[in-house]
Amino acid sequence: MKSREDYERLASEILSCTKCPLHKSRSRAVPGEGSLDADIMFVGEAPGRNEDLEGRPFVGSAGKLLDSLLSSIGVERSTVYITNVVKCRPPGNREPYDEEVKACNPYLRRQISMIKPKVIVALGRVAGRTLYEMAGLRWSGIRAARRRVERVRIEGIDLMLVVTFHPAAALYNPGLRGELEDDFNNVVAPLVGGFKTARRATLEEFFK
């Protein structure tokens, strides 16, 4: 089991972070949630309005779609770990600026180092580019990265990296939904099926 104290310390740092201007407009920072023993980690772009209010990742419409996608491949949300590249909501849900991604990058690296996932699923262009850069891979766009399973090493962890569309993109552009579902069914599901996802040590348990 990963160190609760180390994770609590990291979450506390994120919640009080002032490394970039986003802290001035946030309601709450959103560290992430899920099992710290998870084999599968999902990384999105940044919190939206609902996430900013609740302090949890993927709780709005995009979160409901993610929950549905997980259910469709037989995975319970509580058995994976979910976070974002940027931990505070950009105003108006705009795409994070490069300096905001850079400021939050150490937090994501520490999360990967603590959780030691076997698979990371990057949701959307920002997450895909960020994780490709962490892995030392050349980013050529989400269309080029989709449906590829890259064996990479990030923070000393050997893992498989997959990129697909962000659920929010499929809500804004319904034509992408079929492609997103196809990625989950034919790329993510076979990888997930190879691991027993843990059901211990969720973030909620830490703060009881």
Side-chain angles (χ1 to χ4, degrees):
M1 184 182 296
K2 311 305 185 295
S3 169
R4 296 187 180 190
E5 292 78 13
D6 288 346
Y7 188 82
E8 287 178 358
R9 189 178 303 114
L10 174 58
S12 179
E13 287 180 34
I14 293 171
L15 291 170
S16 60
C17 181
T18 58
K19 290 182 178 179
C20 82
L22 289 181
H23 78 275
K24 297 177 182 179
S25 59
R26 74 183 179 216
S27 297
R28 295 184 64 184
V30 184
E33 71 175 16
S35 172
L36 298 191
D37 292 309
D39 289 321
I40 317 298
M41 185 173 183
F42 289 85
V43 180
E45 176 180 302
R49 179 177 179 275
N50 290 292
E51 291 78 13
D52 175 70
L53 294 173
E54 295 189 32
R56 297 178 56 215
F58 285 88
V59 294
S61 298
K64 291 179 180 177
L65 177 53
L66 177 60
D67 290 348
S68 176
L69 290 164
L70 290 173
S71 179
S72 73
I73 61 172
V75 174
E76 294 183 20
R77 178 175 171 132
S78 63
T79 67
V80 302
Y81 187 84
I82 303 173
T83 190
N84 286 295
V85 169
V86 171
K87 312 304 186 187
C88 296
R89 180 196 182 195
N93 289 356
R94 63 162 171 75
E95 187 172 288
Y97 297 147
D98 288 345
E99 55 265 32
E100 294 160 356
V101 172
K102 183 178 180 180
C104 264
N105 193 279
Y107 296 137
L108 180 58
R109 288 183 177 276
R110 286 167 65 187
Q111 287 173 317
I112 294 170
S113 180
M114 286 182 185
I115 295 165
K116 295 179 173 56
K118 294 181 174 66
V119 176
I120 294 181
V121 180
L123 301 170
R125 188 184 69 82
V126 171
R129 183 189 65 189
T130 300
L131 286 156
Y132 261 53
E133 290 175 353
M134 283 186 183
L137 299 178
R138 180 174 176 273
W139 177 252
S140 299
I142 195 166
R143 287 287 179 182
R146 272 189 68 232
R147 303 187 65 81
R148 296 177 62 88
V149 178
E150 299 284 358
R151 294 182 179 274
V152 301
R153 189 173 179 86
I154 300 175
E155 293 301 298
I157 310 300
D158 293 315
L159 57 91
M160 289 176 281
L161 176 60
V162 177
V163 180
T164 187
F165 297 112
H166 194 289
L171 294 176
Y172 295 131
N173 181 357
L176 296 179
R177 180 155 182 168
E179 295 182 73
L180 179 59
E181 291 174 345
D182 184 65
D183 287 351
F184 266 75
N185 289 327
N186 296 307
V187 182
V188 179
L191 293 175
V192 171
F195 304 111
K196 261 189 177 177
T197 48
R199 298 175 183 273
R200 305 190 301 273
T202 62
L203 181 61
E204 290 86 352
E205 290 171 346
F206 290 166
F207 293 100
K208 284 183 179 177

